[in-house]
Amino acid sequence: MTVVPEDDGRTRCGWIDQSRLAPADFILYRDYHDTEWGQPLHGSKALFERVSLEAFQSGLSWLIILRKRENFRRAFHRFDIDKVARYTDRDIERLMNDAGIVRNRAKIEATIANARAVADLDVDLGELLWSFAPGPRPRPADMSEVPAVTAESKAMAKELKRRGFKFVGPTTAYALMQATGMVDDHMASCWVPATA
């Protein structure tokens, strides 16, 4: 994919392809790209939400998760770590019956396990995750230059698994790094300002 100009005159990353999206989905994706994706995110609760949503996205389109994000927030008590860590089998069944979210038992159970893993950390989740952020690098000129996995994402996934996290493979870890601004994979010609 290449970078494509949009009606507002701004050039965006090629994955924001207006021709392939319904108008409402385009707006949702565009706003996510313009205001969230690649912006530095800190704080355990915010990062726990992103870890959770990236796990639910595994094997699916991110657009599905964006459409359901408010439902996820409602269903998982706005990703309150302590509350989710105390979920029981009854909560799993409640979530499995919630058509507003992705009803995948393994991903639901992983989210609960991850909340428990966060609660057991001896370091802040943000400090742990950001410790794997690579140094600044030039923005890619083309989508073909964007990796799916890096040495840093492999190391992050390995450490998270060691600490009891689930659904945190190297590809998911790299997607998390992109989404939370640990790496800047906006295209060089994208209008979104660089954060570093």
Side-chain angles (χ1 to χ4, degrees), residues 124-164:
D124 178 78
L125 178 62
E127 186 179 330
L128 174 64
L129 295 177
W130 276 87
S131 72
F132 294 97
R137 64 179 189 220
R139 283 182 162 184
D142 186 81
M143 292 295 292
S144 66
E145 296 177 15
V146 179
V149 171
T150 63
E152 294 87 359
S153 74
K154 289 177 185 176
M156 177 190 282
K158 182 177 179 182
E159 179 61 13
L160 290 175
K161 286 178 183 177
R162 187 187 74 77
R163 290 176 178 261

Side-chain angles (χ1 to χ4, degrees), residues 29 48 59 64 70 73 81 94 97 108 124 135 165 167 174 182 191:
Y29 236 12
F48 171 62
I64 292 169
E70 285 307 316
R73 288 173 171 164
I81 295 163
R94 170 182 60 83
N97 289 307
I108 290 168
D124 178 78
F165 285 75
F167 267 91
Y174 191 70
M182 295 178 205
W191 81 270

Side-chain angles (χ1 to χ4, degrees), residues 39-58:
Q39 298 302 309
L41 185 68
H42 299 276
S44 289
K45 183 177 177 183
L47 287 165
F48 171 62
E49 176 179 338
R50 285 299 182 84
V51 168
S52 301
L53 294 179
E54 291 292 345
F56 273 102
Q57 185 271 333
S58 182

Side-chain angles (χ1 to χ4, degrees), residues 5 47 54-55 69 73 95 107 110-111 113-114 117 119 156 172 174:
L47 287 165
E54 291 292 345
R69 183 160 58 168
R73 288 173 171 164
L95 293 163
K107 292 177 181 182
T111 301
N114 291 348
M156 177 190 282
T172 299
Y174 191 70

Side-chain angles (χ1 to χ4, degrees), residues 35-125:
T35 64
E36 290 185 64
W37 191 73
Q39 298 302 309
L41 185 68
H42 299 276
S44 289
K45 183 177 177 183
L47 287 165
F48 171 62
E49 176 179 338
R50 285 299 182 84
V51 168
S52 301
L53 294 179
E54 291 292 345
F56 273 102
Q57 185 271 333
S58 182
L60 302 172
S61 161
W62 181 247
L63 185 57
I64 292 169
I65 304 304
L66 277 181
R67 288 181 190 140
K68 295 177 177 277
R69 183 160 58 168
E70 285 307 316
N71 294 329
F72 276 110
R73 288 173 171 164
R74 174 194 43 76
F76 283 94
H77 290 94
R78 305 207 71 71
F79 292 96
D80 181 297
I81 295 163
D82 294 331
K83 287 182 180 177
V84 177
R86 292 193 305 267
Y87 278 8
T88 65
D89 289 344
R90 178 185 241 165
D91 291 294
I92 293 171
E93 290 311 312
R94 170 182 60 83
L95 293 163
M96 285 298 296
N97 289 307
D98 189 336
I101 66 168
V102 174
R103 294 178 287 181
N104 178 304
R105 184 175 295 275
K107 292 177 181 182
I108 290 168
E109 290 175 350
T111 301
I112 297 166
N114 291 348
R116 292 172 182 161
V118 173
D120 289 342
L121 287 175
D122 56 357
V123 63
D124 178 78
L125 178 62

